[in-house]
Amino acid sequence: MAVAIIKVVDIIKIIIIYLVQQPASPPVSHAHSHSLLLRSPSYSHGLSTSHSLSLTAVSPTSPSFLKNSTSASPNRRWLRLLLRRFPTSVKLRPSLKFWLKWLKKVIKFSFAVVKPLPLTSLLLHLEMGELAADKHVKYIISVEKKKDSFESVVMEHLRLNGAYWGLTTLDILGKLDAVDEEDVISWILKCQDESGGFAGNIGHDPHVLYTLSAVQVLALFDKVDILDADKVSNYIVGLQNEDGSFSGDIWGEVDTRFSYIAICCLSILQRLDKINVDKAVEYIVSCKNLDGGFGCTPGGESHAGQIFCCVGALAIAGALHHVDKDLLGWWLCERQVKSGGLNGRPEKLPDVCYSWWVLSSLIMIDRVHWINKDKLVKFILDCQDMENGGISDRPDDAVDVFHTYFGVAGLSLLEYPGLKPIDPAYALPVDVVNRIFFSKK
Ligand code: GRG
């Protein structure tokens, strides 16, 4: 019974939203206007137009959506007609004939209003849950506290990555102040090695993976300045190879992940000029495949994770013209499966983490409107643990911090209400990126 009442309330909500909605183009949301706007014209174009335009439909209940809907909709005519016919004097004991007449009118009205809405979209909105934001905050804080849990022990060597996932999620949810900033920063500084690079935890070996996480977490707290930027950037510069590629550490593994990390990290440190950017771009382009995607090394299979790295690095380096946007956009949008979730390559299972890798890439190449965003929102929401918080890879699986971050970050890219917008290239909240590049210090 309660469920039935909720559904009826939902239908009424949808009808009201539909009535006040503008019929033509949805409003451009300024909240998501992009930080790279001034640096990369093609990339920023994607976000300032189609991203904000097409994404508005995902969150019809967002305040900005309602606030901007001022022009008259043709559907309001129905509302006015109906209201005009409403009896001015309320009958205390109306006759059966009166009720039948009214029932007929209500049915007629409902059909007129609801018919133009795609039925699948209507049903999807009715089925969609809500983001359990408070529960996710509690979950992240609890993981950080349980230092001897299985999850913490197996993640011991990559704790700095975990800190980046957890703290960025908290920031997107507007709850970064739930952690002790001083504790976090003093621990991060203890993870720095003599080489200038950072390890995943105190006493471990440095690697670019953790160096980026350290710099990103410090950026969240507006504390990048406490670093010796030259020392950190020299560590990264020393990892560039002759062909423009990057190794992850002194042991020499090469991967386009490390090209992204080097470019992103140096850009945040404002030291991009210390590497050979043209050669770095040339190497990334050599990893491009005939399907428009990118792999780990030249000839490596296209994978959504590597595509994010290559497209993100090219976006930051201002070299997105090397991407065949239609071809890659086609490959990326084919990652959406029936459930609405995205996979990382053909014939694979969907996973919440690809809501980040695929979606951010689609946004950077201005093709995000090629996937069904409503269905993706529903898929992510279905992966939540509604009792204890956290998000898993697929519905009903065990949650972890990694998927909680990618679920929340994916919803942020989809402009889910109440979340801070996140930058698709730097993987940091837009206000943090703006602070790095546009604040006067
Ligand atoms: C700051 C967001 C951010 C990233 C830093 C580390 C990194 C740069 C990027 C990693 C990109 C990447 C390769 C992601 C894929 C991760 C993943 C889920 C791999 C799983 O691969 P398979 O083959 O899974 O096990 P599938 O889904 O293909 O079956």
Side-chain angles (χ1 to χ4, degrees), residues 26 57 151 194 260 282 329 349 382 391:
E151 202 178 350
E194 281 174 3
Y260 164 78
E282 205 180 292
L349 290 174
D382 283 349
I391 299 177

Coordinates of all heavy atoms in Angstrom, one line a residue, residues 26 57 151 194 260 282 329 349 382 391:
P26 N 16.6 22.5 -23.1 CA 16.7 22.7 -21.7 C 17.7 23.7 -21.3 O 18.6 24.1 -22.2 CB 17.2 21.3 -21.2 CG 17.1 20.4 -22.4 CD 17.1 21.2 -23.6
A57 N 18.2 16.4 -18.7 CA 17.1 15.5 -18.7 C 17.2 14.4 -17.6 O 16.3 13.8 -17.2 CB 17.0 14.9 -20.1
E151 N 39.8 -5.6 4.0 CA 39.9 -4.6 2.9 C 41.1 -3.7 3.1 O 41.9 -3.4 2.2 CB 38.6 -3.8 2.9 CG 38.3 -3.1 1.6 CD 37.0 -2.4 1.7 OE1 36.2 -2.5 2.6 OE2 36.8 -1.6 0.7
E194 N 62.7 10.0 -1.0 CA 63.8 10.9 -1.3 C 63.9 11.4 -2.8 O 64.3 12.5 -3.1 CB 65.2 10.3 -1.0 CG 65.5 10.2 0.4 CD 66.8 9.4 0.6 OE1 67.4 8.9 -0.4 OE2 67.2 9.2 1.8
Y260 N 49.3 9.5 -18.9 CA 48.2 10.4 -18.3 C 48.7 11.0 -17.0 O 48.6 12.2 -16.7 CB 46.9 9.6 -18.1 CG 45.9 10.3 -17.2 CD1 45.2 11.4 -17.7 CD2 45.8 10.0 -15.9 CE1 44.3 12.1 -16.9 CE2 44.9 10.7 -15.1 CZ 44.2 11.7 -15.5 OH 43.4 12.4 -14.7
E282 N 52.9 12.2 -29.1 CA 53.2 11.3 -30.3 C 53.1 9.9 -29.8 O 52.6 9.0 -30.5 CB 54.7 11.6 -30.7 CG 55.0 11.3 -32.1 CD 56.5 11.7 -32.4 OE1 56.8 12.9 -32.4 OE2 57.3 10.7 -32.5
G329 N 33.6 7.8 -30.3 CA 32.3 8.0 -29.6 C 31.4 6.8 -29.9 O 30.7 6.3 -29.0
L349 N 31.3 -7.8 -18.9 CA 30.2 -7.4 -18.0 C 30.3 -5.9 -17.7 O 31.4 -5.3 -17.7 CB 30.3 -8.2 -16.7 CG 30.1 -9.7 -16.8 CD1 30.3 -10.4 -15.4 CD2 28.6 -10.0 -17.2
D382 N 21.3 1.3 -8.5 CA 21.0 -0.1 -8.2 C 22.2 -0.8 -7.5 O 22.0 -1.9 -7.0 CB 20.6 -0.8 -9.5 CG 19.2 -0.5 -9.9 OD1 18.4 0.1 -9.1 OD2 18.8 -0.9 -11.0
I391 N 29.1 1.6 -2.8 CA 28.6 1.2 -4.1 C 29.5 0.0 -4.6 O 30.7 0.0 -4.4 CB 28.7 2.4 -5.1 CG1 27.8 3.5 -4.6 CG2 28.2 2.0 -6.5 CD1 27.8 4.8 -5.4

